[in-house]
Structures are given as C-alpha cells and as structure tokens.
Amino acid sequence: MQDSDGRGAPGATDRRAILRGAAGLSVLPVGGLLSGCGADGVANPTAGAGTEASALGSSRVPAGTTSFTIAVLPDTQFYSRYATTDESQQYQRKFGSEPFSTQTKWIAANAADYSIPFCIHLGDLVDQVGKPNQWIVADAAMKVLENAKIPYSVLAGNHDVVTAYDYRGVWDQSSGTDAQRNNASEPYIQWFPASRAAQQTTFRERDSSGWHEYHVFEQFGVKFMVLSLSWRISDRGIAWARDVIARNPTLPVILVNHQLLNIDADAVSPLETEYGKMLWERLIRDNDQIFLTLNGHHHGAAWLTKTNDFGNPVEEMVVDYQMDYQGGNGLMRLYEFDFTANKIDVMSFSPWVVQKPKNTLNQFDFAELTGVNEKFTIPIDFRKRFAGFTRFRPTWATGGTPILPRVREKLLAGYVEPTPPVLVPPRDTQDFAYVSDAYVHWRVADGVQNGAVVQIGDTLPDAMNKFPMTRAPLQAPAQVGDVTWSTDRHYLSSAAGSVRFANSDKVTKRANFFTTAPGAEVNGRSFWSGYTAEAFIKIDKNWTRDNNRWCNILARGINRGSMPGFAGGDKQASPLLFAISSLKELQWEVVPASNSTYPQTNWSGEIMVDTWYHVAIVNDPKTGETIMYVDGAPVLRNIVGQSGMRSINTATPWVIGASWWDGSFVDGFLGQIGEIRLVPRPLTQDQWLTARRAR
C-alpha cells in the first residue's frame, strides 16, 4: 500500500532492525530524533522517495525526513583582506564584526541542529598571498571549525598560490601547476599543511605535492568522498585523483575545485571553461562516482547538468560572491541532501547580514538570495544514481523535518529587510539636483542627434557654462567616426544622451578623447575640502581584457611624478586614473591633496558590459574616507586616511575618454560616457545627479 505522499508503506518486520541498530549508533542530529540500522543495513527504498523508515507501519512512529546539510564557503579573499590592520579593519570599524569568522561561527553553532557533518571551502582563502595578516584572519576563521570539531576540506585558489599571483595585480591563468611550485615559499602550505588537514576526523590523504586532499564523511550510514583539488593540477595530480577514486570504488564523490564552471555574460547561464573541459575529459566523464562538482573563482552563480559516459547526470555548480556588495556580504551556501525526497535543496544566505547593526543596512543587504541560481532544487534519485558502484542503503530517520525551512525561519526571525529608496526618473533634461559650487558638469547638449559623428573641435558642454570639453585632434590610427553622439543614457540621468567611444584598442593604441582648453582655470584647481566626482558610464559589449583593460573614463594630462614630493610608482602616469581594470573593476586612483607622496585607490567589484552605471566618489576630510558608490552601493575597497585631490597648474588639462602616460594620451575608453560632474566638497545622495531638482 502507499501513504498519501506516495512513500512506501511501513512494514512491521523492519522495526526490529531499526531499533536493534540504534543501541550501537550515535544519535544523529536530524530534528533531534534517533536513527539506526541493523547489522545488515536497511533495504533500498522503493522508486521515488520511499523510505524504509516508514517500515514501522504504524502511526505511532511516523516516517521521517532523512536529510543532512553540507556548508559551502565560496571565495573568502576579501573577508581576509579587509579585516586586517593593513586595510584599516574596514569591516570591524563599520560593522563591529567581520564576515569570515561569522560564517564559521554560524556553522559551529548550528552544526548539530542542522545536521552539518562537513564544510567545504572553495579556495581563495586570502586576496594577497604575500600578506601574512590576511593568512592570520583566514587561519583564525577556520580554527573556529577545528575547535568545534567540524570537519572541513580546504584548497588553494589562484590568490593563495605564489606562482599564480603577480603583485602588480596581474593574474596569469596559465601559470605553473602544483608540479612547478616551491612549497617552501608557498604560504598556503605553511598555514594549511597536511599535518593540519590530518586533524580532521574525515581526512584521508594529500597527494605527494601537498596541494590536493580528500576526505570521507558518513551520514545515515552512507559514506561520501570530498575530493578537493587546488589551483592548476598537474598530470601527476590528476593521476593521484583517479587513483584515490579507484581505491574507494563504492564512494559517491563530490569534486571540489577552485575553477571549473563559469557564468555567461547574462549572469545566469553556465559557461564551460577550458580548464573545466580538461577536468571533464581527464577525470570526470569516465568516473561515475563523481556526481557533483563545486567551484568558485568566477563571479556569480550558475548550474550545469552534464551526462557522463555511463549515461548519468553530473551536476556542476559555480558560486562566488566576492564581487558582490562588501566583498560578498558574508554569503555562503547550504546543500541539503534529502534521501527521503530524492533531492538536493540549495540555500544561499548570509549569517553576517542579520547581525549587522541596523543603521548600517541598505538596499544591498540580503539575508537570503532567491534568484534562479541561488535557491533551487536538484532532483536526484540517489539509489539509481549510485547503483553503478554501490548499494544505497541509508539508515532511515524515524522523524524530523526538512532542514532548510528551519534554517530560513530562524535566520530571518526578527530581521527586516531594508526598504530600497524610491528612484525617480527625470521629468526633463534639467531635472537634477543642482549644485551651485560645482567646478564643472560636462553633459551632452539638448537636441543631440543619435549616431551623429563628433567632429574634431566639437564641444562637450559644461552645464556650469565655464569650462567645456573639446574633441582633441586625431592620433593615428584613430578615425573621426570613432566618436558619436548617442541618445542612450542611464535611466536616472537627466542629460539628453551620452558620448559613444568606439574602436578603442590598447594593442594598436587607438584612442579618442576630449580635453579642457589649455590655461582653463579648472585645470589648476585642487580639491582641498574634499570632493564628489560623479559619472554615468557603460562599457561596450565588445570590451575585452586584451584590448581594453585599463581604459580610462577621466584623467589629467600630466605626469604625476611632476607633482612636488611624489614618490610613488608609475611616475609617468596621470595623477588621476578613473578607469576600468583588467577584471572590469572601476578604479579611482588619485594623488590626494593631504599627502601627494603616494597615489591612493578605490576599487569596485566587477561591473557588467553593456550596462549603465552611476558612479559617485565622495571624499570627506572629516572622516578621512573616500568612498566609491556604484548605483548607490558603497564598495568595499576604499581610500582611508586621506583627503582632497591635488592639481598642479592650469597647463594640466582634464581628459575624458583616455588617460596619460609620459607625454601621450593612451588607454582609450570603449563604451559610453554620460554626465560627469566635479564638486569641491562631499555631497549626500540627495544631492547627486540621480536625485531630482527641488519642486
């Protein structure tokens, strides 16, 4: 007979086996109810979700939910970096806590209630491998799990490996494998050696290189392998991984790697990487035991199902929040393996957001993500999926309820999600918050003709009617048609349109730009009392790292090494770089007025191509902070302890659409630039260009 929910009906003969086994087993934390099995185990359930736990056949012992959760920590690199004194402990100063240890403390505190037998770290423990203080933060966070006796696996991401990271900020994706590394000079091996991994009760082995490890954990009588492979595995490492699986021929395998699956430009669809394809061909497709892969590295989340050589599904998932608000905002995941319902439920949430001071919360704080790739269910018939290599014979729970709903209820109890501000599109081209003391406000004139070529000598007006920009003469191989007027704009910009820069190319040095007139008074103005710089920008959909990295929105036409007392690097560069980095981050690098010795830099997270953004950089001398806001969200990596922006003289032009390097205009922008405004004091958000004029 069938229960109303379709599960197999109970059978009285199995009650003895369940109760007999309970005497010799530890109590498993599933809703606080007892589980157990006989010496010969419990037979497989019927097709569907059937449970032999129902086998008790009587209403006195109801069927239970047999499930557990695995905690997953995506790239924690910025948590480690910005909790250090090197970076002014930005988390602690603003929020009174930091995300990394908050995550591990949450796991430790809730492992029993939510049946968490294991935690998986996806790599990039730190952001800068050569900074010891970042390793101290990561070390302390992971020790929380060790002290609580919560087993975990760890692996090295590209930021954790000396040979994969260049201190200039350039990542070489084809860098040496584990076989070429000098372990004596690798901090990862010093901080997370095999001896530390061996303290985990689940640990089984590291390979001879010391970079890759595997664990075996058991829940409800079912054993799982977690095979963690560090950045850029060698042929020898792959051979070891294959051998590990061969030596454990009955274990379902969760393959963990820092890079495997990527996310496409739509920020939703999965995108396979060459490295991931290599792992598929050489390790995954002919190893039926690998049923699930997890990786970080690529910013966002996606899910791809592939079919292996045995005709079985392999679920590949990427998750990485480092480019989200506050470097990830403490977001992590739980994967609930529900043997009863034949599924894996996924929850993406932040234990840090719910404990942040209420007065710090804004519209970018989410306690739980509910998007299509953040909250979802993976259907999996465990018995059928594992049939090719093992008999699925779990110890069925006699009670309990699904875990993630309980996590959600407790997490959100008392938490009120911030109300996003009301953003009102402009009523006309003058519907913006006017600031009378702005130095300049460059914006496209009314009546612009969409697609019309901006001729050499044409002007980009200054709404303050003081210092217009002029399109500069061509520098080969640039052409007149590379710059056009456009009616396309950010929906909160009141300007009639934008300037479109096309065909810019770093390799061929093709660049087009506007400059202020020689001798214009604004060229020599410094910002001693702070400043607010605003811009509306959109990167062209054809932007590539090779051709367009470090393309500039705004700059100054002079070597910063000419500034009195300057002792920093790249003396040939401009004293202002408002650019798009090689990772599509917004860079604001400026020589402060308070200290002209070294440049200071703000960084955003990754921004998307073909998407309009409003960017505001606000420097407040009272706080000594320079904060970058992207569409209203304050970024994590800000300037601390400096104020103002330094100039030299009126011979130093402002530049839109390119930068400056030792006498030449370089690094042309590819995309569209809308309004740009410079104000010599900090403004509040109700005074920005995204706000409307007083009625």
Side-chain angles (χ1 to χ4, degrees), residues 70 136 149 185 270 290 300 426 432 435 568 578 594 630 677 679:
I70 295 176
I136 290 173
K149 308 301 182 185
S185 62
I290 301 175
F432 64 93
V435 177
F578 186 15
S594 58
V630 180
R677 184 168 71 174
V679 179

Side-chain angles (χ1 to χ4, degrees), residues 567-583:
D570 294 337
K571 293 184 177 182
Q572 303 89 341
S574 169
L576 169 64
L577 297 171
F578 186 15
I580 308 297
S581 80
S582 59
L583 297 177

Side-chain angles (χ1 to χ4, degrees), residues 443-575:
R443 68 200 309 255
V444 170
D446 292 357
V448 63
Q449 296 290 316
N450 188 53
V453 173
V454 181
Q455 302 295 329
I456 305 304
D458 282 356
T459 59
L460 178 64
D462 173 14
M464 306 305 293
N465 297 313
K466 296 178 180 178
F467 309 108
M469 284 272 185
T470 302
R471 186 177 178 190
L474 295 177
Q475 295 180 172
Q479 297 182 15
V480 174
D482 291 345
V483 183
T484 55
W485 302 115
S486 173
T487 54
D488 183 28
R489 59 180 176 80
H490 190 288
Y491 81 104
L492 292 177
S493 171
S494 62
S498 59
V499 182
R500 183 172 185 268
F501 296 84
N503 304 315
S504 297
D505 191 306
K506 186 180 185 73
V507 178
T508 63
K509 296 181 171 54
R510 185 167 180 165
N512 295 272
F513 50 93
F514 292 77
T515 66
T516 50
E521 181 188 358
V522 71
N523 295 347
R525 286 186 176 177
S526 293
F527 295 76
W528 295 98
S529 300
Y531 58 83
T532 301
E534 291 183 82
F536 292 98
I537 63 102
K538 180 166 78 169
I539 306 173
D540 191 88
K541 63 183 178 181
N542 295 314
W543 188 99
T544 67
R545 182 183 185 278
D546 289 341
N547 290 340
N548 307 112
R549 64 188 185 276
W550 307 113
C551 65
N552 267 250
I553 301 159
L554 183 68
R556 307 297 302 275
I558 192 171
N559 291 10
R560 62 192 183 191
S562 302
M563 306 186 82
F566 186 82
D570 294 337
K571 293 184 177 182
Q572 303 89 341
S574 169

Side-chain angles (χ1 to χ4, degrees), residues 588-607:
W588 174 266
E589 183 168 286
V590 65
V591 177
S594 58
N595 181 359
S596 61
T597 305
Y598 296 98
Q600 302 290 321
T601 309
N602 294 72
W603 298 95
S604 77
E606 180 185 20
I607 63 173

Side-chain angles (χ1 to χ4, degrees), residues 199-389:
Q199 297 176 24
Q200 311 299 317
T201 58
T202 55
F203 177 76
R204 294 297 180 268
E205 184 177 304
R206 276 203 183 178
D207 76 316
S208 60
S209 75
W211 292 93
H212 318 296
E213 66 186 47
Y214 87 92
H215 295 250
V216 175
F217 72 87
E218 181 175 347
Q219 200 74 338
F220 297 109
V222 180
K223 292 182 178 180
F224 289 85
M225 177 192 295
V226 176
L227 180 56
S228 289
L229 308 180
S230 286
W231 181 253
R232 290 295 180 259
I233 192 168
S234 62
D235 292 345
R236 184 175 61 186
I238 290 177
W240 171 83
R242 294 185 66 86
D243 180 62
V244 161
I245 296 173
R247 285 187 275 126
N248 295 273
T250 64
L251 299 187
V253 176
I254 301 170
L255 178 67
V256 188
N257 192 62
H258 186 58
Q259 182 197 31
L260 195 152
L261 186 66
N262 197 355
I263 307 102
D264 214 338
D266 63 3
V268 175
S269 302
L271 178 66
E272 293 193 84
T273 66
E274 292 305 311
Y275 189 73
K277 291 177 183 177
M278 181 276 292
L279 288 174
W280 175 262
E281 293 297 329
R282 299 186 60 189
L283 179 61
I284 302 170
R285 68 178 301 163
D286 65 344
N287 272 306
D288 195 30
Q289 293 168 245
I290 301 175
F291 71 100
L292 175 66
T293 75
L294 302 173
N295 71 273
H297 187 63
H298 297 290
H299 314 146
W303 167 27
L304 174 67
T305 301
K306 299 189 71 173
T307 302
N308 66 16
D309 289 351
F310 302 84
N312 288 323
V314 179
E315 311 298 344
E316 296 185 348
M317 267 157 282
V318 53
V319 57
D320 174 12
Y321 300 114
Q322 65 174 280
M323 290 304 183
D324 284 8
Y325 177 57
Q326 292 298 319
N329 219 15
L331 288 162
M332 55 177 286
R333 274 192 173 175
L334 283 180
Y335 286 73
E336 180 177 4
F337 285 63
D338 190 336
F339 291 166
T340 304
N342 276 325
K343 63 178 181 174
I344 301 174
D345 285 327
V346 181
M347 180 181 181
S348 307
F349 68 102
S350 173
W352 189 53
V353 165
V354 296
Q355 73 167 44
K356 290 165 76 173
K358 290 184 178 180
N359 65 346
T360 68
L361 298 175
N362 60 39
Q363 70 268 32
F364 304 100
D365 284 300
F366 296 98
E368 182 185 9
L369 301 183
T370 57
V372 64
N373 285 336
E374 304 290 0
K375 179 183 178 182
F376 56 95
T377 295
I378 306 167
I380 177 170
D381 185 327
F382 292 98
R383 178 183 61 82
K384 181 179 178 182
R385 178 60 184 86
F386 300 161
F389 53 87

